[in-house]
Short mmCIF file of all heavy atoms in Angstrom, two decimals:
data_model
loop_
_atom_site.label_atom_id
_atom_site.label_comp_id
_atom_site.label_asym_id
_atom_site.label_seq_id
_atom_site.Cartn_x
_atom_site.Cartn_y
_atom_site.Cartn_z
N LYS W 39 82.06 138.00 148.37
CA LYS W 39 82.24 136.72 147.69
C LYS W 39 80.91 136.16 147.18
O LYS W 39 80.85 135.56 146.13
CB LYS W 39 82.92 135.71 148.61
CG LYS W 39 84.37 136.03 148.84
CD LYS W 39 85.05 134.97 149.65
CE LYS W 39 86.51 135.37 149.85
NZ LYS W 39 87.25 134.35 150.55
N ALA W 40 79.85 136.38 147.91
CA ALA W 40 78.55 135.89 147.47
C ALA W 40 78.14 136.53 146.16
O ALA W 40 77.59 135.86 145.28
CB ALA W 40 77.50 136.15 148.54
N TYR W 41 78.41 137.82 146.01
CA TYR W 41 78.08 138.51 144.76
C TYR W 41 78.88 137.94 143.61
O TYR W 41 78.36 137.69 142.53
CB TYR W 41 78.34 140.01 144.88
CG TYR W 41 78.18 140.73 143.58
CD1 TYR W 41 76.92 141.02 143.06
CD2 TYR W 41 79.28 141.08 142.82
CE1 TYR W 41 76.77 141.66 141.85
CE2 TYR W 41 79.14 141.72 141.61
CZ TYR W 41 77.88 142.01 141.13
OH TYR W 41 77.73 142.64 139.93
N LEU W 42 80.19 137.71 143.81
CA LEU W 42 81.03 137.17 142.75
C LEU W 42 80.56 135.78 142.34
O LEU W 42 80.52 135.45 141.16
CB LEU W 42 82.49 137.12 143.19
CG LEU W 42 83.18 138.47 143.33
CD1 LEU W 42 84.59 138.28 143.89
CD2 LEU W 42 83.24 139.18 141.99
N ILE W 43 80.20 134.96 143.31
CA ILE W 43 79.75 133.61 143.01
C ILE W 43 78.44 133.66 142.22
O ILE W 43 78.29 132.98 141.21
CB ILE W 43 79.59 132.78 144.30
CG1 ILE W 43 80.98 132.51 144.90
CG2 ILE W 43 78.85 131.48 144.03
CD1 ILE W 43 80.95 131.94 146.29
N SER W 44 77.50 134.50 142.66
CA SER W 44 76.22 134.58 141.95
C SER W 44 76.41 135.15 140.55
O SER W 44 75.76 134.72 139.61
CB SER W 44 75.22 135.43 142.74
OG SER W 44 75.64 136.77 142.80
N ARG W 45 77.33 136.11 140.40
CA ARG W 45 77.60 136.70 139.09
C ARG W 45 78.20 135.66 138.15
O ARG W 45 77.82 135.57 136.98
CB ARG W 45 78.56 137.88 139.25
CG ARG W 45 78.97 138.54 137.98
CD ARG W 45 77.93 139.48 137.48
NE ARG W 45 78.49 140.20 136.34
CZ ARG W 45 77.82 140.49 135.27
NH1 ARG W 45 76.56 140.18 135.20
NH2 ARG W 45 78.39 141.13 134.28
N ARG W 46 79.15 134.86 138.65
CA ARG W 46 79.75 133.82 137.82
C ARG W 46 78.71 132.78 137.40
O ARG W 46 78.70 132.34 136.26
CB ARG W 46 80.90 133.15 138.55
CG ARG W 46 82.12 134.02 138.62
CD ARG W 46 83.25 133.34 139.31
NE ARG W 46 84.37 134.27 139.45
CZ ARG W 46 85.24 134.21 140.42
NH1 ARG W 46 85.18 133.27 141.33
NH2 ARG W 46 86.22 135.08 140.48
N LEU W 47 77.84 132.39 138.32
CA LEU W 47 76.80 131.43 137.98
C LEU W 47 75.85 132.02 136.94
O LEU W 47 75.44 131.33 136.00
CB LEU W 47 76.03 131.01 139.22
CG LEU W 47 76.80 130.16 140.23
CD1 LEU W 47 75.96 129.93 141.47
CD2 LEU W 47 77.22 128.84 139.61
N GLU W 48 75.52 133.29 137.10
CA GLU W 48 74.65 133.96 136.14
C GLU W 48 75.30 134.01 134.76
O GLU W 48 74.67 133.74 133.75
CB GLU W 48 74.37 135.38 136.63
CG GLU W 48 73.55 136.22 135.68
CD GLU W 48 73.43 137.65 136.19
OE1 GLU W 48 73.25 137.84 137.40
OE2 GLU W 48 73.52 138.55 135.36
N LEU W 49 76.59 134.33 134.72
CA LEU W 49 77.30 134.41 133.44
C LEU W 49 77.43 133.04 132.79
O LEU W 49 77.32 132.91 131.58
CB LEU W 49 78.68 135.03 133.64
CG LEU W 49 78.66 136.52 134.00
CD1 LEU W 49 80.06 136.97 134.38
CD2 LEU W 49 78.12 137.34 132.87
N LYS W 50 77.66 132.01 133.59
CA LYS W 50 77.74 130.66 133.04
C LYS W 50 76.39 130.25 132.45
O LYS W 50 76.33 129.60 131.42
CB LYS W 50 78.18 129.66 134.10
CG LYS W 50 79.65 129.74 134.41
CD LYS W 50 80.04 128.71 135.44
CE LYS W 50 81.51 128.85 135.79
NZ LYS W 50 81.92 127.88 136.81
N GLY W 51 75.31 130.63 133.12
CA GLY W 51 73.97 130.33 132.61
C GLY W 51 73.70 131.03 131.29
O GLY W 51 73.15 130.46 130.36
N ASN W 52 74.11 132.29 131.19
CA ASN W 52 73.93 133.04 129.95
C ASN W 52 74.79 132.47 128.84
O ASN W 52 74.38 132.46 127.69
CB ASN W 52 74.27 134.53 130.15
CG ASN W 52 73.25 135.23 131.00
OD1 ASN W 52 72.13 134.76 131.15
ND2 ASN W 52 73.62 136.37 131.54
N ALA W 53 75.97 132.01 129.16
CA ALA W 53 76.87 131.46 128.16
C ALA W 53 76.31 130.18 127.55
O ALA W 53 76.45 129.95 126.36
CB ALA W 53 78.25 131.20 128.76
N SER W 54 75.67 129.37 128.36
CA SER W 54 75.13 128.12 127.84
C SER W 54 73.94 128.38 126.93
O SER W 54 73.65 127.60 126.03
CB SER W 54 74.75 127.18 128.98
OG SER W 54 73.68 127.74 129.72
N MET W 55 73.24 129.51 127.12
CA MET W 55 72.11 129.85 126.27
C MET W 55 72.57 130.45 124.94
O MET W 55 71.88 130.36 123.94
CB MET W 55 71.18 130.83 126.99
CG MET W 55 70.49 130.22 128.19
SD MET W 55 69.62 131.42 129.20
CE MET W 55 68.66 132.30 128.03
N ASN W 56 73.75 131.06 124.91
CA ASN W 56 74.25 131.73 123.71
C ASN W 56 75.48 130.99 123.20
O ASN W 56 76.59 131.42 123.38
CB ASN W 56 74.60 133.19 124.03
CG ASN W 56 75.04 133.95 122.82
OD1 ASN W 56 74.78 133.53 121.70
ND2 ASN W 56 75.71 135.06 123.02
N ASN W 57 75.26 129.88 122.51
CA ASN W 57 76.40 129.08 122.08
C ASN W 57 76.60 129.09 120.58
O ASN W 57 77.19 128.19 120.03
CB ASN W 57 76.27 127.65 122.59
CG ASN W 57 75.04 126.97 122.06
OD1 ASN W 57 74.28 127.54 121.30
ND2 ASN W 57 74.83 125.72 122.46
N GLN W 58 76.14 130.13 119.90
CA GLN W 58 76.34 130.21 118.46
C GLN W 58 77.58 131.04 118.17
O GLN W 58 77.85 132.02 118.84
CB GLN W 58 75.13 130.84 117.80
CG GLN W 58 73.87 130.01 117.97
CD GLN W 58 72.67 130.70 117.36
OE1 GLN W 58 72.73 131.87 117.03
NE2 GLN W 58 71.59 129.97 117.23
N HIS W 59 78.30 130.64 117.12
CA HIS W 59 79.50 131.38 116.70
C HIS W 59 79.09 132.65 115.99
O HIS W 59 78.20 132.64 115.14
CB HIS W 59 80.36 130.50 115.79
CG HIS W 59 81.56 131.21 115.28
ND1 HIS W 59 82.55 131.67 116.12
CD2 HIS W 59 81.94 131.54 114.03
CE1 HIS W 59 83.48 132.25 115.40
NE2 HIS W 59 83.14 132.19 114.12
N SER W 60 79.74 133.75 116.32
CA SER W 60 79.47 135.03 115.69
C SER W 60 80.55 135.31 114.65
O SER W 60 81.66 135.70 115.01
CB SER W 60 79.46 136.13 116.77
OG SER W 60 79.33 137.38 116.16
N PRO W 61 80.27 135.15 113.37
CA PRO W 61 81.31 135.31 112.37
C PRO W 61 81.79 136.75 112.21
O PRO W 61 82.84 136.99 111.67
CB PRO W 61 80.65 134.80 111.09
CG PRO W 61 79.20 134.93 111.32
CD PRO W 61 79.00 134.75 112.79
N GLY W 62 81.04 137.72 112.70
CA GLY W 62 81.42 139.11 112.53
C GLY W 62 82.52 139.56 113.46
O GLY W 62 83.06 140.64 113.30
N ARG W 63 82.89 138.79 114.42
CA ARG W 63 83.93 139.18 115.38
C ARG W 63 85.18 138.36 115.12
O ARG W 63 85.22 137.16 115.36
CB ARG W 63 83.45 138.97 116.81
CG ARG W 63 82.36 139.96 117.17
CD ARG W 63 82.00 139.81 118.61
NE ARG W 63 81.08 140.88 119.00
CZ ARG W 63 80.38 140.87 120.08
NH1 ARG W 63 80.48 139.86 120.91
NH2 ARG W 63 79.58 141.86 120.38
#
Side-chain angles (χ1 to χ4, degrees):
K39 289 185 180 184
Y41 173 77
L42 290 175
I43 291 169
S44 66
R45 178 80 172 140
R46 286 181 185 151
L47 291 175
E48 176 185 319
L49 291 171
K50 285 182 182 178
N52 289 341
S54 65
M55 293 170 50
N56 183 18
N57 61 1
Q58 296 177 347
H59 178 62
S60 174
R63 291 185 172 165

